[in-house]
Amino acid sequence: MSDTVEKIKCLIIGSGPAGYTAAIYAARADMKPVMYTGMQMGGQLTTTTEVDNFPGYADGTDGTAMMEDLKKQSERFGTEVRFGLVTKVDLSDKVGGIHKVIVDETKEIEAETIIISTGATAKYLGLESEQRLIGGGVSACATCDGFFYKGQDVVVVGAGDTAAEEATYLANICNKVTLLVRKDYMRASKAMQHRVNKTANIEVLFNTEIDEVLGDNVVEGVRVINNQTKETHDISVTGVFIAIGHKPNSDLFKGVLDMDETGYLITKGKSSKTNLPGVFAAGDIQDKEYRQAVTAAGSGCMAALDAERYLSALE
C-alpha cells in the first residue's frame, strides 16, 4: 500500500461516453477530476467498428476514434486520465464525508465526490469464432449496428424481450431475421412473442444454438445445431446479433450501493444520485433501458452537474 494518500475533489471510475462527458463538465466546473479508465479504456464502444448514430459525426466514425476524441476533449479542460482499476471502496454515508478508494490494490485516494461510470458488459456465447468476429459482423446491439445490414440476412440469438425487440427492430431493416432460441419456448412477454410471430420476415428456430460463426475476417454465416437431434446445418448471414443480456459492472459496490436484482445501480428520480451522498452513477451501470452512447453521455453530464451542486451546497 502506498504511504501517501491522494486527496481529490472528483473521482470518475470508468471511461466511455458517460465517464468522459462527466469529466468534460466536471473539469469545466473547476472540480479537477481524476479518471481511472478501468481495463477497457473507452468502454464497450471500442469494440464497435462503425458509429453512425452519435450526433456531430456527419460521416460517421468508429468507436475507438470517438472515444479518443472524447478523451482528448476531457483532457483539454484539465481532466487527468489514468489507466488503472479501482479494486476497493470505502464509501461514506455522511453528507460531506470522504470516500476512500484503493486503485490497483496499492494506491490510496480520498475523494469528495465519486462518479461511477463502469458500464455493463454484453454477454456473449463464448465461442472462439464469435469472439474473433466481434466488430466484423458479430454485435450485441441491433440499435447501434443494425443499419449496416440493411437488406441483408441476419441471425439473432436469445429468447427474452431483448431478443424479441432486437429481432423486430432488425426486421424493419433487414431482408430476413432468423431468431435462434435455445429451448423449445421463448421467455419473452406474450406481447413481444405475438409481435415476433406476426412479423413475416422473422423465422424462429427452437432448440437451436450456434455451433460456429463462419467467416475469416467478416461473418459469412453460422453453423447451427439442434440440441435435441444433434443435426447441424449452415445459415448464410452477414450479421450475428447476440441478445442474451448484459452484466452491469457493479460487483465492487455490492452491499454498499442500492442496486436491482441484476446489479444495475439505482439512482434517485431523474437524477444521478445514488443512496450515498456525494456518489453518483452515469451510463450503462444504471441504465438497462436504452444503453446508447448518446444517452450515456447525457447521464454523464447530469452526474457532473449533480456532483458540482453537491459540493457547492457544502460551502
Side-chain angles (χ1 to χ4, degrees):
M1 199 72 68
S2 58
D3 294 329
T4 57
V5 177
E6 183 179 11
K7 300 179 186 295
I8 61 176
K9 266 190 178 182
C10 178
L11 172 67
I12 300 172
I13 304 175
S15 43
Y20 285 133
T21 304
I24 290 166
Y25 275 80
R28 285 170 58 87
D30 201 28
M31 293 166 67
K32 299 178 176 58
V34 172
M35 170 190 286
Y36 277 94
T37 63
M39 292 298 100
Q40 188 178 28
M41 184 180 288
Q44 286 187 82
L45 267 190
T46 57
T47 65
T48 302
T49 51
E50 296 180 83
V51 178
D52 245 4
N53 57 1
F54 196 90
Y57 290 92
D59 299 316
T61 183
D62 70 76
T64 301
M66 180 178 145
M67 290 303 96
E68 187 60 28
D69 285 345
L70 288 178
K71 176 176 176 287
K72 288 177 180 177
Q73 188 176 3
S74 69
E75 289 177 324
R76 178 163 69 91
F77 295 115
T79 301
E80 187 172 343
V81 178
R82 302 172 181 173
F83 183 76
L85 185 67
V86 173
T87 51
K88 186 178 180 181
V89 296
D90 180 10
L91 305 181
S92 173
D93 61 359
K94 296 179 175 58
V95 174
I98 298 299
H99 306 292
K100 299 177 182 180
V101 166
I102 305 297
V103 179
D104 295 327
E105 299 182 355
T106 56
K107 182 174 180 58
E108 294 183 69
I109 289 176
E110 292 185 351
E112 296 177 49
T113 60
I114 292 179
I115 295 173
I116 301 166
S117 57
T118 48
T121 302
K123 295 179 182 177
Y124 286 93
L125 302 173
L127 300 171
E128 182 280 327
S129 55
E130 168 206 52
Q131 295 298 303
R132 177 169 50 81
L133 289 169
I134 290 175
V138 174
S139 170
C141 180
T143 312
C144 310
D145 301 325
F147 175 81
F148 303 111
Y149 300 90
K150 189 173 183 180
Q152 301 173 43
D153 293 351
V154 300
V155 154
V156 175
V157 180
D161 279 349
T162 298
E165 288 172 5
E166 300 258 290
T168 52
Y169 174 84
L170 289 165
N172 292 321
I173 302 169
C174 301
N175 176 57
K176 181 182 179 181
V177 178
T178 304
L179 180 59
L180 306 181
V181 178
R182 185 166 56 90
K183 297 185 177 180
D184 60 358
Y185 63 91
M186 290 186 67
R187 292 183 293 100
S189 64
K190 293 298 182 183
M192 288 307 303
Q193 290 187 51
H194 290 323
R195 191 182 302 178
V196 167
N197 294 332
K198 288 179 180 178
T199 306
N201 60 335
I202 296 179
E203 180 184 8
V204 183
L205 299 181
F206 292 100
N207 297 122
T208 305
E209 302 177 49
I210 291 182
D211 187 52
E212 185 178 359
V213 182
L214 306 174
D216 293 326
N217 299 311
V218 296
V219 170
E220 297 174 3
V222 292
R223 178 167 299 123
V224 298
I225 183 169
N226 183 299
N227 54 34
Q228 299 298 304
T229 66
K230 305 305 178 185
E231 293 179 359
T232 64
H233 70 277
D234 294 352
I235 304 175
S236 179
V237 294
T238 53
V240 177
F241 292 85
I242 311 298
I244 57 175
H246 288 72
K247 182 185 184 303
N249 302 320
S250 60
D251 288 353
L252 187 64
F253 308 102
K254 282 185 177 176
V256 180
L257 295 177
D258 289 346
M259 55 183 73
D260 68 11
E261 66 281 357
T262 310
Y264 287 94
L265 298 186
I266 296 172
T267 50
K268 297 180 180 179
K270 295 181 179 180
S271 77
S272 66
K273 300 173 184 177
T274 68
N275 58 299
L276 293 183
V279 181
F280 309 90
D284 286 10
I285 189 65
Q286 53 84 50
D287 173 25
K288 59 182 178 183
E289 188 71 31
Y290 301 104
R291 294 196 297 263
Q292 299 298 302
V294 67
T295 52
S299 67
C301 163
M302 292 165 57
L305 293 175
D306 285 342
E308 193 275 330
R309 289 166 183 167
Y310 169 82
L311 289 174
S312 295
L314 295 177
E315 295 176 356

